[in-house]
Amino acid sequence: MLDVLIIGGSYAGLSAALALGRARRSVLVLDASRPRNRFTPHAHNLLLHDGDAPADLAARARQQVAAYPTVQLLEAQATTATKLPDGSFEVGTGAHGTFVASRLLLATGLRDELPPVPGFAECWGKSVIHCPFCHGYEVADQPTGIWNNGDEVGHQVKLLLNWSRQLTIFTNGPATFRPEVHELLQAHAIELIETPVTGVLHTDGQLTGLRLADGRTRPLPVLYARLPWHQASELPQQLGCEITEQVLIRTDASYRTTVPGVYAAGDCSVAPPQLALAIAAGNLAGASLSRELIMGS
């Protein structure tokens, strides 16, 4: 019987494992090795590690966590999770069998829904980006596109004007925002293109332009895309965790989910998606789990 089984070995999961290992708790981290930020070459807005490669950060984190004798790391895909009658949890992995733990931490992340447009996936996380706080400094003052529709465009425009005054909106179909958003675009001379995008032109992931359905090509070096996301794992649903309107696992201030004994941290439960927040959430979740186990023992 493990004290805590952590599903997801990226930044939140490893941060929680570190806190639990230092509390001398028996921990197993299951990780499928598909972090959400695997597409981007550099991590930014992370104190002490600004500009480092995410893969390097994760490798160093695994090395540090593995130094604690009560923590085990296993590359495996968790496929099932069940709460047993005694309150513990059984997690199945297929090739590696099943594991049982007193508590469960979900650090399973989110999955972005990339549009089926040729070239989009190759640029995602490199020159087609999602967050100005993570990437905006490096692409500031360049012609910048916004791939989005709806009233949220107004908020995004106001935000991105801090980094570039050369904005173009690509709604990929008829615009669906209110007149106030149209007025905002006109006030800042922001072009609105409603023609669907049929191709993302690039060189080795560096965006060069967008091909439109009417045959035109718009040169462009940077594109912010607001994409829908989903829970990357079916385990929260299997366990009966409540999901918010933002498609996040609902937690309290201690990162407890609505299912007793189940915690959640990282992108699957915390917004906005930033490394610093994921690391902090994992650390706090690990401390909360330790406290619960100590007080309940």
Side-chain angles (χ1 to χ4, degrees):
M1 170 76 74
L2 295 159
D3 287 328
V4 181
L5 201 159
I6 299 174
I7 303 176
S10 193
Y11 303 94
L14 291 173
S15 180
L18 178 62
L20 287 160
R22 292 185 60 79
R24 304 192 295 179
R25 290 294 167 181
S26 59
V27 179
L28 173 63
V29 181
L30 300 177
D31 183 41
S33 297
R34 290 180 61 82
R36 190 183 185 189
N37 68 348
R38 64 188 182 276
F39 304 101
T40 189
H42 302 287
H44 288 291
N45 209 22
L46 182 64
L47 190 63
L48 302 180
H49 297 287
D50 189 43
D52 288 358
D56 293 343
L57 291 174
R60 185 178 181 190
R62 284 192 295 270
Q63 182 182 34
Q64 291 180 349
V65 170
Y68 289 86
T70 60
V71 179
Q72 304 174 65
L73 306 177
L74 177 62
E75 185 172 343
Q77 176 74 52
T79 56
T80 60
T82 306
K83 189 168 187 177
L84 301 177
D86 65 357
S88 63
F89 298 90
E90 183 180 77
V91 174
T93 63
H96 296 276
T98 60
F99 301 90
V100 178
S102 176
R103 300 291 188 275
L104 196 61
L105 172 63
L106 300 175
T108 43
L110 298 173
R111 183 179 67 254
D112 297 299
E113 185 179 317
L114 274 59
V117 175
F120 193 101
E122 289 81 354
C123 295
W124 180 240
K126 303 177 182 71
S127 53
V128 177
I129 52 183
H130 75 287
C131 172
F133 298 102
C134 299
H135 306 285
Y137 186 87
E138 284 68 32
V139 298
D141 300 322
Q142 299 185 51
T144 299
I146 298 176
W147 175 301
N148 202 359
N149 205 347
D151 289 334
E152 187 186 25
V153 168
H155 169 77
Q156 200 170 9
V157 164
K158 291 178 181 178
L159 185 68
L160 290 177
L161 283 170
N162 181 70
W163 283 271
S164 176
R165 312 296 294 186
Q166 306 173 68
L167 301 179
T168 303
I169 309 299
F170 297 88
T171 55
N172 214 29
T176 59
F177 35 75
R178 293 176 294 180
E180 301 93 283
V181 179
H182 284 281
E183 294 171 3
L184 175 67
L185 301 188
Q186 293 171 4
H188 292 280
I190 296 172
E191 184 179 6
L192 169 63
I193 295 179
E194 299 175 275
T195 307
V197 177
T198 58
V200 175
L201 310 177
H202 68 96
T203 301
D204 297 329
Q206 178 54 57
L207 179 69
T208 58
L210 300 180
R211 181 182 294 114
L212 306 178
D214 59 10
R216 289 181 296 160
T217 297
R218 291 301 303 265
L220 196 70
V222 184
L223 179 67
Y224 285 90
R226 185 63 58 87
L227 304 180
W229 61 57
H230 308 281
Q231 288 288 323
S233 171
E234 296 180 356
L235 300 187
Q237 183 179 6
Q238 290 182 20
L239 291 162
C241 297
E242 183 179 344
I243 305 297
T244 69
E245 293 181 357
Q246 291 76 36
V247 199
L248 303 175
I249 301 172
R250 187 179 300 281
T251 64
D252 64 13
S254 297
Y255 297 95
R256 298 183 186 90
T257 72
T258 53
V259 177
V262 179
Y263 287 64
D267 284 6
C268 67
S269 64
V270 177
Q274 294 186 6
L275 293 187
L277 294 181
I279 292 169
N283 179 267
L284 290 171
S288 297
L289 280 158
S290 296
R291 190 177 299 110
E292 182 176 303
L293 289 165
I294 291 169
M295 297 304 179
S297 61

